[in-house]
Amino acid sequence: MVQAYILIQTEVGKSSAVAEVISGFSGVIQAQDVTGPYDVIVRAEADTVDDLGRMIVAKVQQVEGITRTLTCPVVHL
């Protein structure tokens, strides 16, 4: 299992709606509004890195109101 944090910037006033939509996606553990340079932080998981990438490109980045994403894979050192 691969996990990652997805940091999301949204259009002004769209963060709550974006977090709500994304929280319903399969593989999303948590989606929360935050303050600072990013508007929403998502914790997601998938079977493989490729599956995670497909979910981000095909689902997350297609949500209306998102302007930019940054994916931070979780590592176990």
Side-chain angles (χ1 to χ4, degrees):
M1 189 67 61
V2 177
Q3 293 188 349
Y5 288 96
I6 307 164
L7 311 178
I8 299 173
Q9 292 178 335
T10 69
E11 296 172 2
V12 174
K14 300 281 186 167
S15 61
S16 292
V18 166
E20 185 176 335
V21 169
I22 291 174
S23 67
F25 291 167
S26 176
V28 170
I29 299 167
Q30 192 173 32
Q32 294 184 306
D33 297 16
V34 296
T35 60
Y38 294 94
D39 304 304
V40 177
I41 295 180
V42 174
R43 184 166 178 133
E45 65 182 5
D47 290 333
T48 68
V49 172
D50 289 340
D51 290 340
L52 182 66
R54 280 190 282 276
M55 186 212 11
I56 293 166
V57 171
K59 293 183 179 178
V60 173
Q61 291 181 347
Q62 302 305 312
V63 173
E64 184 178 338
I66 290 179
T67 58
R68 180 174 296 179
T69 64
L70 174 67
T71 303
C72 303
V74 174
V75 296
H76 303 282
L77 303 175

Coordinates of all heavy atoms in Angstrom, one line a residue:
M1 N 0.8 -1.2 0.0 CA 0.0 0.0 0.0 C 0.9 1.2 0.0 O 1.8 1.3 0.8 CB -0.9 0.0 1.2 CG -2.0 1.0 1.3 SD -3.3 0.9 0.1 CE -4.0 -0.7 0.5
V2 N 0.6 2.2 -0.8 CA 1.3 3.5 -1.0 C 0.4 4.6 -0.4 O -0.8 4.6 -0.8 CB 1.6 3.7 -2.4 CG1 2.3 5.1 -2.6 CG2 2.5 2.6 -3.0
Q3 N 0.9 5.4 0.4 CA 0.1 6.6 0.9 C 0.8 7.9 0.5 O 2.1 7.9 0.3 CB 0.0 6.5 2.4 CG -0.9 5.4 2.8 CD -1.2 5.5 4.3 OE1 -0.6 6.2 5.1 NE2 -2.1 4.6 4.7
A4 N 0.1 8.9 0.4 CA 0.6 10.3 0.0 C -0.3 11.3 0.6 O -1.5 11.1 0.8 CB 0.7 10.4 -1.5
Y5 N 0.3 12.5 0.8 CA -0.4 13.7 1.1 C -0.5 14.5 -0.2 O 0.5 14.6 -0.9 CB 0.3 14.6 2.2 CG 0.2 13.9 3.6 CD1 1.3 13.2 4.0 CD2 -0.9 14.1 4.4 CE1 1.2 12.6 5.3 CE2 -1.0 13.6 5.6 CZ 0.1 12.8 6.1 OH 0.0 12.2 7.3
I6 N -1.6 15.0 -0.5 CA -1.8 15.8 -1.7 C -2.2 17.2 -1.2 O -3.2 17.4 -0.6 CB -2.9 15.3 -2.6 CG1 -2.7 13.8 -2.9 CG2 -3.1 16.1 -3.9 CD1 -3.9 13.1 -3.4
L7 N -1.3 18.2 -1.5 CA -1.5 19.6 -1.1 C -2.2 20.3 -2.3 O -1.7 20.2 -3.4 CB -0.2 20.2 -0.8 CG 0.7 19.4 0.2 CD1 2.1 20.2 0.4 CD2 0.0 19.2 1.5
I8 N -3.3 21.0 -2.0 CA -4.1 21.5 -3.1 C -4.3 23.0 -2.9 O -4.6 23.5 -1.8 CB -5.5 20.8 -3.1 CG1 -5.3 19.3 -3.4 CG2 -6.4 21.4 -4.1 CD1 -6.6 18.5 -3.2
Q9 N -4.1 23.7 -4.0 CA -4.5 25.1 -4.0 C -5.8 25.2 -4.8 O -5.9 24.6 -5.8 CB -3.4 26.0 -4.7 CG -2.1 26.1 -3.8 CD -1.0 26.8 -4.5 OE1 -1.0 27.0 -5.7 NE2 -0.1 27.4 -3.7
T10 N -6.7 26.1 -4.3 CA -8.0 26.2 -5.0 C -8.2 27.7 -5.4 O -7.5 28.6 -4.9 CB -9.1 25.8 -4.1 OG1 -9.3 26.7 -3.0 CG2 -8.9 24.4 -3.6
E11 N -9.3 27.9 -6.2 CA -9.7 29.2 -6.4 C -10.3 29.8 -5.1 O -10.7 29.0 -4.2 CB -10.8 29.2 -7.5 CG -10.4 28.7 -8.8 CD -11.5 28.5 -9.8 OE1 -12.7 28.8 -9.4 OE2 -11.2 28.1 -10.9
V12 N -10.3 31.1 -5.0 CA -10.8 31.7 -3.7 C -12.2 31.3 -3.4 O -13.1 31.3 -4.3 CB -10.8 33.3 -3.9 CG1 -11.4 34.0 -2.7 CG2 -9.3 33.7 -4.1
G13 N -12.5 30.9 -2.2 CA -13.8 30.5 -1.8 C -14.2 29.0 -2.1 O -15.3 28.7 -1.9
K14 N -13.3 28.3 -2.7 CA -13.7 26.9 -3.2 C -13.2 25.8 -2.3 O -13.5 24.6 -2.6 CB -13.2 26.7 -4.6 CG -13.7 27.7 -5.7 CD -15.1 27.3 -6.1 CE -15.5 28.2 -7.3 NZ -16.7 27.7 -7.9
S15 N -12.4 26.1 -1.3 CA -11.7 25.0 -0.6 C -12.7 24.0 0.1 O -12.5 22.8 0.0 CB -10.7 25.6 0.5 OG -11.4 26.4 1.4
S16 N -13.7 24.5 0.7 CA -14.7 23.6 1.4 C -15.4 22.7 0.4 O -15.5 21.5 0.6 CB -15.7 24.4 2.1 OG -15.2 25.1 3.2
A17 N -15.8 23.2 -0.8 CA -16.4 22.4 -1.8 C -15.5 21.4 -2.3 O -15.8 20.2 -2.5 CB -17.0 23.3 -2.9
V18 N -14.2 21.8 -2.6 CA -13.2 20.8 -3.1 C -13.0 19.7 -2.1 O -12.9 18.5 -2.4 CB -11.9 21.6 -3.4 CG1 -10.7 20.6 -3.6 CG2 -12.1 22.5 -4.7
A19 N -12.8 20.1 -0.8 CA -12.5 19.0 0.2 C -13.7 18.1 0.3 O -13.5 16.9 0.5 CB -12.3 19.7 1.6
E20 N -14.9 18.6 0.2 CA -16.1 17.7 0.3 C -16.2 16.8 -0.8 O -16.4 15.6 -0.6 CB -17.4 18.6 0.4 CG -18.6 17.8 0.6 CD -19.8 18.7 0.7 OE1 -19.7 19.9 1.1 OE2 -20.9 18.2 0.4
V21 N -15.9 17.2 -2.0 CA -16.0 16.3 -3.2 C -14.9 15.3 -3.1 O -15.2 14.1 -3.3 CB -15.8 17.1 -4.5 CG1 -15.6 16.2 -5.7 CG2 -17.0 18.0 -4.8
I22 N -13.7 15.7 -2.8 CA -12.6 14.7 -2.8 C -12.7 13.7 -1.6 O -12.3 12.6 -1.8 CB -11.2 15.5 -2.6 CG1 -11.0 16.2 -3.9 CG2 -10.1 14.5 -2.3 CD1 -9.8 17.1 -3.9
S23 N -13.3 14.1 -0.5 CA -13.5 13.2 0.6 C -14.3 12.0 0.2 O -14.2 10.9 0.9 CB -14.0 13.9 1.8 OG -15.4 14.3 1.6
G24 N -15.1 12.1 -0.8 CA -15.9 10.9 -1.2 C -15.2 10.0 -2.2 O -15.8 9.0 -2.6
F25 N -14.0 10.3 -2.6 CA -13.3 9.4 -3.6 C -12.8 8.2 -2.9 O -12.3 8.2 -1.8 CB -12.1 10.2 -4.2 CG -12.5 11.3 -5.2 CD1 -11.6 12.2 -5.6 CD2 -13.8 11.4 -5.6 CE1 -11.9 13.2 -6.4 CE2 -14.1 12.5 -6.5 CZ -13.2 13.4 -6.9
S26 N -12.8 7.1 -3.6 CA -12.2 5.8 -3.2 C -10.7 6.0 -3.0 O -10.1 6.6 -3.9 CB -12.5 4.7 -4.2 OG -11.9 3.6 -3.8
G27 N -10.1 5.6 -1.9 CA -8.7 5.8 -1.7 C -8.4 7.0 -0.9 O -7.2 7.1 -0.4
V28 N -9.3 7.9 -0.7 CA -9.1 9.1 0.1 C -9.3 8.8 1.6 O -10.4 8.3 2.0 CB -9.9 10.3 -0.3 CG1 -9.8 11.4 0.6 CG2 -9.4 10.7 -1.7
I29 N -8.3 8.9 2.4 CA -8.5 8.7 3.9 C -9.1 9.9 4.6 O -9.9 9.8 5.4 CB -7.1 8.3 4.5 CG1 -6.5 7.0 3.8 CG2 -7.2 8.2 6.0 CD1 -5.1 6.8 4.1
Q30 N -8.6 11.1 4.2 CA -9.0 12.3 4.8 C -8.8 13.5 3.9 O -7.8 13.5 3.1 CB -8.2 12.5 6.1 CG -8.7 13.5 7.0 CD -7.9 13.5 8.3 OE1 -6.7 13.1 8.3 NE2 -8.5 13.8 9.4
A31 N -9.7 14.4 3.9 CA -9.5 15.7 3.1 C -10.0 16.8 4.1 O -11.1 16.8 4.5 CB -10.4 15.7 1.9
Q32 N -9.1 17.8 4.3 CA -9.4 18.9 5.2 C -9.0 20.2 4.7 O -8.0 20.3 4.0 CB -8.6 18.6 6.5 CG -9.1 17.4 7.3 CD -8.4 17.3 8.6 OE1 -7.1 17.3 8.7 NE2 -9.1 17.2 9.7
D33 N -9.8 21.2 5.0 CA -9.5 22.6 4.7 C -8.4 23.0 5.6 O -8.4 22.7 6.8 CB -10.7 23.5 4.9 CG -11.9 23.2 4.1 OD1 -11.9 22.2 3.5 OD2 -12.7 24.1 4.0
V34 N -7.4 23.8 5.1 CA -6.3 24.3 6.0 C -6.1 25.8 5.6 O -6.6 26.3 4.5 CB -5.0 23.5 5.8 CG1 -5.2 22.1 6.4 CG2 -4.6 23.5 4.4
T35 N -5.3 26.5 6.4 CA -4.9 27.8 6.0 C -3.4 27.8 5.7 O -2.7 26.8 6.0 CB -5.1 28.8 7.2 OG1 -4.3 28.4 8.3 CG2 -6.6 28.9 7.6
G36 N -2.9 28.8 5.0 CA -1.5 28.9 4.6 C -1.4 28.8 3.1 O -2.4 29.2 2.3
P37 N -0.3 28.4 2.5 CA -0.1 28.4 1.1 C -1.0 27.4 0.3 O -1.2 27.5 -0.9 CB 1.4 28.1 0.9 CG 1.8 27.5 2.2 CD 0.9 28.0 3.2
Y38 N -1.5 26.4 1.0 CA -2.4 25.4 0.4 C -3.7 25.6 1.1 O -3.8 26.0 2.3 CB -1.8 24.0 0.6 CG -0.6 23.9 -0.3 CD1 0.7 24.0 0.3 CD2 -0.6 23.6 -1.6 CE1 1.8 24.0 -0.4 CE2 0.5 23.5 -2.4 CZ 1.8 23.7 -1.8 OH 2.9 23.7 -2.5
D39 N -4.8 25.2 0.4 CA -6.1 25.3 0.9 C -6.8 24.0 1.4 O -7.7 24.1 2.2 CB -7.0 25.9 -0.2 CG -6.4 27.2 -0.7 OD1 -6.3 28.2 0.1 OD2 -6.2 27.3 -1.9
V40 N -6.3 22.9 0.8 CA -6.8 21.6 1.2 C -5.7 20.6 1.3 O -4.8 20.7 0.4 CB -7.9 21.1 0.2 CG1 -8.4 19.7 0.5 CG2 -9.1 22.0 0.0
I41 N -5.7 19.8 2.3 CA -4.7 18.7 2.4 C -5.4 17.4 2.4 O -6.4 17.2 3.2 CB -3.8 18.8 3.6 CG1 -2.9 20.1 3.5 CG2 -2.9 17.6 3.7 CD1 -2.0 20.3 4.7
V42 N -5.0 16.5 1.5 CA -5.7 15.2 1.4 C -4.7 14.1 1.7 O -3.5 14.2 1.3 CB -6.2 15.0 -0.1 CG1 -6.7 13.6 -0.3 CG2 -7.2 16.0 -0.4
R43 N -5.1 13.1 2.5 CA -4.3 11.9 2.7 C -5.0 10.8 1.9 O -6.2 10.5 2.1 CB -4.2 11.5 4.2 CG -3.2 10.3 4.3 CD -2.8 10.1 5.8 NE -2.0 9.0 5.8 CZ -0.8 8.9 6.5 NH1 -0.4 10.0 7.1 NH2 -0.1 7.8 6.5
A44 N -4.2 10.2 1.0 CA -4.8 9.1 0.1 C -3.9 7.9 0.1 O -2.7 8.0 0.5 CB -4.9 9.7 -1.3
E45 N -4.5 6.8 -0.3 CA -3.7 5.6 -0.4 C -4.2 4.8 -1.7 O -5.3 5.0 -2.2 CB -3.9 4.7 0.8 CG -5.3 4.2 1.0 CD -5.4 3.4 2.3 OE1 -4.5 3.3 3.1 OE2 -6.5 2.8 2.5
A46 N -3.3 4.0 -2.2 CA -3.5 3.1 -3.3 C -2.6 1.9 -3.3 O -1.6 1.9 -2.5 CB -3.3 3.9 -4.6
D47 N -2.9 0.9 -4.1 CA -2.1 -0.3 -4.1 C -0.7 -0.1 -4.6 O 0.3 -0.6 -4.1 CB -2.7 -1.4 -4.9 CG -4.0 -1.9 -4.3 OD1 -4.1 -1.9 -3.0 OD2 -4.9 -2.4 -5.0
T48 N -0.5 0.8 -5.6 CA 0.8 1.1 -6.2 C 0.9 2.6 -6.5 O 0.0 3.3 -6.5 CB 1.0 0.3 -7.5 OG1 0.1 0.9 -8.5 CG2 0.7 -1.2 -7.4
V49 N 2.2 3.0 -6.7 CA 2.4 4.4 -7.1 C 1.7 4.7 -8.3 O 1.1 5.8 -8.5 CB 3.9 4.6 -7.2 CG1 4.2 6.0 -7.8 CG2 4.7 4.4 -5.9
D50 N 1.6 3.8 -9.3 CA 0.9 4.1 -10.6 C -0.6 4.3 -10.3 O -1.2 5.2 -10.9 CB 1.2 3.0 -11.6 CG 2.6 3.0 -12.1 OD1 3.3 4.0 -12.0 OD2 3.0 1.9 -12.6
D51 N -1.2 3.5 -9.4 CA -2.6 3.6 -9.1 C -2.8 5.0 -8.4 O -3.8 5.6 -8.7 CB -3.1 2.5 -8.2 CG -3.1 1.1 -8.9 OD1 -3.2 1.1 -10.2 OD2 -3.1 0.1 -8.2
L52 N -1.9 5.3 -7.6 CA -2.1 6.6 -6.9 C -2.0 7.8 -7.9 O -2.8 8.7 -7.9 CB -1.0 6.8 -5.8 CG -1.0 8.1 -5.0 CD1 -2.2 8.1 -4.1 CD2 0.3 8.2 -4.2
G53 N -1.1 7.7 -8.8 CA -0.9 8.7 -9.8 C -2.2 8.8 -10.7 O -2.6 9.9 -11.1
R54 N -2.7 7.7 -11.1 CA -3.9 7.7 -11.9 C -5.1 8.3 -11.2 O -5.9 9.0 -11.7 CB -4.3 6.2 -12.3 CG -3.5 5.8 -13.5 CD -4.0 4.4 -14.1 NE -3.6 3.3 -13.3 CZ -2.4 2.7 -13.4 NH1 -1.5 3.0 -14.3 NH2 -2.2 1.6 -12.6
M55 N -5.2 8.0 -9.9 CA -6.3 8.6 -9.1 C -6.1 10.1 -9.0 O -7.1 10.8 -9.2 CB -6.3 8.1 -7.7 CG -7.5 8.6 -6.9 SD -7.4 8.9 -5.1 CE -5.8 8.8 -4.6
I56 N -4.9 10.6 -8.8 CA -4.7 12.0 -8.7 C -5.0 12.7 -10.1 O -5.7 13.7 -10.1 CB -3.3 12.3 -8.3 CG1 -3.1 11.8 -6.8 CG2 -2.9 13.8 -8.4 CD1 -1.7 11.8 -6.4
V57 N -4.5 12.2 -11.2 CA -4.7 12.8 -12.5 C -6.2 12.7 -12.9 O -6.8 13.6 -13.4 CB -3.8 12.2 -13.5 CG1 -4.1 12.7 -14.9 CG2 -2.3 12.6 -13.2
A58 N -6.8 11.5 -12.8 CA -8.1 11.2 -13.3 C -9.2 11.7 -12.4 O -10.3 12.0 -13.0 CB -8.3 9.7 -13.6
K59 N -9.0 11.8 -11.1 CA -10.1 12.2 -10.2 C -9.8 13.6 -9.6 O -10.5 14.5 -9.8 CB -10.3 11.2 -9.2 CG -10.9 9.9 -9.7 CD -11.1 8.9 -8.5 CE -11.7 7.6 -9.0 NZ -11.9 6.7 -7.9
V60 N -8.7 13.6 -8.8 CA -8.5 14.8 -8.0 C -8.3 16.0 -8.8 O -8.9 17.1 -8.6 CB -7.3 14.6 -7.0 CG1 -6.9 15.9 -6.3 CG2 -7.6 13.5 -6.0
Q61 N -7.4 16.0 -9.8 CA -7.1 17.2 -10.6 C -8.3 17.6 -11.5 O -8.3 18.7 -12.0 CB -5.9 17.0 -11.4 CG -4.6 16.9 -10.6 CD -3.4 16.7 -11.4 OE1 -3.4 16.4 -12.6 NE2 -2.2 16.9 -10.8
Q62 N -9.3 16.8 -11.6 CA -10.5 17.1 -12.4 C -11.6 17.9 -11.6 O -12.5 18.3 -12.2 CB -11.1 15.9 -13.1 CG -10.1 15.1 -13.9 CD -9.5 16.0 -15.0 OE1 -10.2 16.7 -15.7 NE2 -8.2 15.9 -15.2
V63 N -11.4 18.0 -10.3 CA -12.4 18.7 -9.5 C -12.4 20.2 -9.8 O -11.3 20.8 -9.8 CB -12.1 18.4 -8.0 CG1 -13.0 19.2 -7.1 CG2 -12.2 16.9 -7.7
E64 N -13.6 20.7 -10.0 CA -13.7 22.1 -10.3 C -13.2 22.9 -9.1 O -13.6 22.7 -8.0 CB -15.2 22.4 -10.6 CG -15.4 23.8 -11.1 CD -16.8 24.1 -11.4 OE1 -17.6 23.2 -11.7 OE2 -17.2 25.3 -11.4
G65 N -12.4 24.0 -9.4 CA -12.0 24.9 -8.4 C -10.5 24.7 -8.0 O -9.9 25.5 -7.3
I66 N -9.9 23.5 -8.4 CA -8.5 23.3 -8.1 C -7.6 24.0 -9.1 O -7.8 23.9 -10.3 CB -8.2 21.7 -8.1 CG1 -8.9 21.1 -6.9 CG2 -6.7 21.5 -8.1 CD1 -8.7 19.6 -6.8
T67 N -6.6 24.7 -8.6 CA -5.7 25.4 -9.5 C -4.3 24.7 -9.5 O -3.6 24.8 -10.5 CB -5.5 26.8 -9.1 OG1 -5.0 26.9 -7.7 CG2 -6.8 27.6 -9.2
R68 N -3.9 24.0 -8.5 CA -2.6 23.3 -8.4 C -2.6 22.2 -7.4 O -3.2 22.4 -6.3 CB -1.6 24.4 -8.1 CG -0.1 23.8 -8.1 CD 0.9 24.9 -7.9 NE 0.8 25.7 -9.1 CZ 1.5 26.8 -9.3 NH1 2.3 27.2 -8.4 NH2 1.4 27.5 -10.4
T69 N -1.9 21.2 -7.6 CA -1.7 20.1 -6.6 C -0.2 19.8 -6.5 O 0.6 20.0 -7.4 CB -2.4 18.8 -7.0 OG1 -1.8 18.3 -8.2 CG2 -3.9 19.0 -7.2
L70 N 0.2 19.3 -5.3 CA 1.5 18.9 -5.0 C 1.4 17.6 -4.3 O 0.8 17.6 -3.2 CB 2.3 19.9 -4.2 CG 3.7 19.5 -3.7 CD1 4.7 19.4 -4.9 CD2 4.2 20.5 -2.7
T71 N 2.0 16.5 -4.8 CA 1.8 15.2 -4.2 C 3.1 14.8 -3.4 O 4.2 14.9 -3.9 CB 1.6 14.1 -5.2 OG1 0.4 14.5 -5.9 CG2 1.4 12.7 -4.6
C72 N 2.9 14.5 -2.1 CA 4.1 14.1 -1.3 C 3.9 12.7 -0.8 O 3.1 12.4 0.2 CB 4.1 15.1 0.0 SG 4.2 16.8 -0.5
P73 N 4.6 11.7 -1.4 CA 4.5 10.3 -1.0 C 5.0 10.1 0.4 O 6.0 10.7 0.8 CB 5.3 9.6 -2.1 CG 5.4 10.5 -3.2 CD 5.4 11.9 -2.6
V74 N 4.4 9.3 1.1 CA 4.9 8.9 2.5 C 5.9 7.8 2.3 O 5.8 6.9 1.6 CB 3.7 8.3 3.3 CG1 4.2 7.8 4.7 CG2 2.6 9.4 3.5
V75 N 7.1 8.0 3.0 CA 8.2 7.1 2.9 C 8.4 6.5 4.3 O 8.1 7.1 5.3 CB 9.5 7.7 2.4 CG1 9.3 8.1 1.0 CG2 9.9 8.8 3.3
H76 N 8.9 5.3 4.4 CA 9.2 4.6 5.6 C 10.7 4.4 5.7 O 11.2 3.4 5.1 CB 8.4 3.3 5.8 CG 6.9 3.5 5.6 ND1 6.1 4.0 6.7 CD2 6.1 3.4 4.6 CE1 4.9 4.1 6.3 NE2 4.8 3.8 5.0
L77 N 11.4 5.2 6.4 CA 12.9 5.2 6.4 C 13.3 4.4 7.6 O 12.7 4.3 8.6 CB 13.4 6.6 6.5 CG 13.0 7.5 5.3 CD1 13.6 8.9 5.5 CD2 13.5 6.9 4.0

